[in-house]
Amino acid sequence: MAMNELDFGMADDAVPLAERLRPKRLADVVGQEGLIGPEGRLRRMLDAGNLSSIILWGPPGTGKTTIARLLAAEAKMVFEPVSAVFDGLADLRKVFSRAEDRLRSGQRTLLFVDEVHRFNKAQQDGLLPRVEDGTVTLIGATTENPSFALNGALLSRAQVLVFERLGAQALEALLMRVEADLGTSLPLDEGARTVLIAMADGDGRYLLTMASLLTGLPADSALDTAALAEIVAGRAPAFDRAGDQHYNLMSALHKTLRASDADAGLYWLSRMLAGGEDPHYILRRLTRFASEDIGLAEPEAVPRALAAWQAYERLGSPEGDLAIAGLVIYLATAPKSNASYAAFKAASRAAAATGSLGPPAHILNAPTKLMKGLGYGANYSYDHSDPDGFSGQNCFPDGMERQRFYHPVERGFERELGKRLAYWDRLREEKQASPDEDS
């Protein structure tokens, strides 16, 4: 079927372009073939006549609302939209009342809750009885991770389906629909068309908004990228400082540095800064990385992180951003070790299991006669008096076997620390085997 023969609702020019081109059939939705294609989960539900409650999770402009409307139409259900931003329990009760009336006559209701993560716990709990008894079939849309944004009771009664950002092919298909609706090509050269798609960053609604700015321009001359930039404002990258992107991009940066990829690290840093992330938060996490993932393999990592933090404090943005970028490169290229992190965790577990054991008496101070009489400080070996500067005395609690928590790696400075530990292990064995000779 030719593009201009499809029914996309081409009508009144006063209707916004995005609404005018809203698909009328599931088959016309682009970019979510994994859900609505022949083998997609939504398609199989509809074919089986078993549309259950669903949470649609994905970025803005990926078709969640459109698909919810089309699901209601294909399932022959009444579509009842509710906004979690503007509507409350009173509005839900009205919807439930209408749904009960319909159910008595054999008509089912699809309750669509946009931004469902904005409902508080009481509002989410208010949905449960009507979902359970079949009064409504719930379709919730959210841009937030349902695991954190929705309570467990609601999640247990709904399937979570993940929407992907629209790829370049899907966005190109949307531009072709715009041109079919207009009856002419958009005034863009090939480079500008590619840039327009890239600027949309996977958001179909945003692409259509930008395309609508071009619809009144003369079609006889094609805009290049520079001319396009003058008409269409650049889009801030998708980012939510309180939501998933806040944690996901930081996780990406952390794991990229752990993988010693400086270039990818700079990319994720740039994404975070461009999205408005607080540089102080980034620096705090980078300082943590220096301790946790580099540790003593490069003892200068933490001082470098603190120095970059101080430089940013004094310079601010944008000048101080370069200090953060330099730190990212330094941390990515430093030798890595989590031996200190693992050692501390192991020691913490041992301390929790043996927390009632006191220090051995010989390493305790004895400032009073009573304490001396109790054996405090008795037989203490002053390490500086030993020819090796190492006494080999036991420093673990009496009744607790010596344990090895710290296992340095063969990288960076920890290679040298491993040699030192091996040397002291050997001396300790020698001195414990012949204590009289060493005393």
Side-chain angles (χ1 to χ4, degrees):
M1 182 179 292
M3 187 66 68
N4 58 4
E5 294 174 353
L6 291 173
D7 177 14
F8 297 124
M10 305 174 190
D12 189 351
D13 289 341
V15 178
L17 185 63
E19 187 62 33
R20 207 159 69 231
L21 298 183
R22 189 183 291 276
K24 301 297 183 183
R25 302 167 297 180
L26 275 176
D28 299 335
V29 177
V30 299
Q32 305 301 338
E33 287 76 12
L35 295 176
I36 60 175
E39 299 301 318
R41 291 172 66 182
L42 285 175
R43 184 73 266 166
R44 292 201 302 269
M45 283 186 197
L46 288 171
D47 291 345
N50 185 30
L51 183 62
S52 60
S53 292
I54 301 167
I55 302 298
L56 307 178
W57 172 32
T62 51
K64 298 187 294 295
T65 302
T66 295
I67 285 179
R69 288 180 179 275
L70 297 177
L71 287 174
E74 291 215 15
K76 296 181 173 53
M77 302 169 71
V78 174
F79 184 77
E80 284 270 17
V82 170
S83 170
V85 177
F86 301 109
D87 300 321
L89 286 174
D91 301 281
L92 286 176
R93 292 190 188 100
K94 294 176 183 178
V95 172
F96 295 149
S97 177
R98 292 194 294 269
E100 288 174 340
D101 291 341
R102 295 189 195 103
L103 195 59
R104 282 191 283 270
S105 61
Q107 177 68 63
R108 297 179 60 201
T109 300
L110 187 151
L111 170 62
F112 175 67
V113 182
D114 196 19
E115 305 287 345
V116 66
H117 61 275
R118 295 186 182 275
F119 268 168
N120 60 34
K121 185 179 185 301
Q123 290 170 313
Q124 292 183 35
D125 288 343
L127 294 171
L128 298 179
R130 300 307 188 181
V131 171
E132 285 184 330
D133 65 15
T135 300
V136 297
T137 297
L138 171 67
I139 305 292
T142 178
T143 56
E144 300 292 328
N145 188 329
S147 300
F148 306 120
L150 303 179
N151 65 44
L154 185 59
L155 278 179
S156 69
R157 292 161 175 79
Q159 298 187 49
V160 176
L161 300 184
V162 180
F163 277 53
E164 302 293 339
R165 301 196 75 80
L166 302 187
Q169 186 175 358
L171 294 172
E172 172 62 30
L174 289 181
L175 288 184
M176 292 174 64
R177 292 182 180 181
V178 171
E179 292 170 331
D181 179 65
L182 297 174
T184 184
S185 298
L186 289 170
L188 299 168
D189 66 17
E190 184 176 349
R193 193 180 186 94
T194 300
V195 168
L196 186 66
I197 288 174
M199 289 174 66
D201 195 22
D203 185 333
R205 183 168 55 245
Y206 188 79
L207 179 74
L208 294 177
T209 299
M210 291 191 296
S212 66
L213 300 176
L214 309 175
T215 57
L217 300 178
D220 54 356
S221 61
L223 301 175
D224 59 15
T225 55
L228 173 66
E230 293 181 3
I231 296 173
V232 180
R235 185 185 194 200
F239 191 78
D240 181 357
R241 287 174 57 179
D244 277 358
Q245 287 293 321
H246 168 77
Y247 298 104
N248 289 346
L249 295 193
M250 191 65 245
S251 176
L253 177 58
H254 192 122
K255 291 179 173 63
T256 295
L257 297 183
R258 185 180 290 158
S260 300
D261 191 334
D263 295 314
L266 288 171
Y267 170 78
W268 292 117
L269 171 66
S270 299
R271 280 279 301 275
M272 295 178 77
L273 291 175
E277 182 60 87
D278 183 358
H280 296 89
Y281 169 75
I282 298 174
L283 285 159
R284 183 176 70 81
R285 291 295 299 266
L286 292 178
T287 303
R288 170 191 168 184
F289 178 89
S291 297
E292 180 178 326
D293 285 272
I294 294 177
L296 294 176
E298 179 56 88
E300 279 295 306
V302 170
R304 290 285 189 99
L306 293 174
W309 200 337
Q310 185 179 49
Y312 180 82
E313 289 279 2
R314 295 190 175 189
L315 294 173
S317 294
E319 294 87 350
D321 295 348
L322 187 58
I324 307 177
L327 177 61
V328 163
I329 296 171
Y330 176 84
L331 296 178
T333 54
K336 307 298 188 298
S337 171
N338 73 338
S340 296
Y341 176 81
F344 180 63
K345 289 290 187 182
S348 297
R349 290 192 294 271
T354 60
S356 61
L357 297 178
H362 63 269
I363 63 172
L364 296 178
N365 288 332
T368 69
K369 289 183 179 181
L370 173 62
M371 296 170 76
K372 287 181 181 179
L374 293 173
Y376 283 31
N379 301 316
Y380 172 66
S381 298
Y382 186 56
D383 293 82
H384 292 296
S385 298
D386 190 275
D388 298 309
F390 178 79
S391 66
Q393 64 197 325
N394 176 52
C395 295
F396 276 89
D398 292 331
M400 177 180 177
E401 293 187 4
R402 178 175 186 80
Q403 297 187 36
R404 170 56 57 83
F405 301 124
Y406 177 51
H407 300 276
V409 299
E410 285 293 316
R411 292 185 294 277
F413 184 68
E414 282 200 331
R415 184 184 291 112
E416 176 62 28
L417 295 182
K419 295 176 183 178
R420 296 180 189 180
L421 290 175
Y423 169 71
W424 287 323
D425 284 344
R426 179 176 58 80
L427 279 183
R428 184 179 290 108
E429 290 179 6
E430 293 175 356
K431 292 177 183 295
Q432 291 176 352
S434 53
D436 293 338
E437 296 178 12
D438 298 326
S439 60

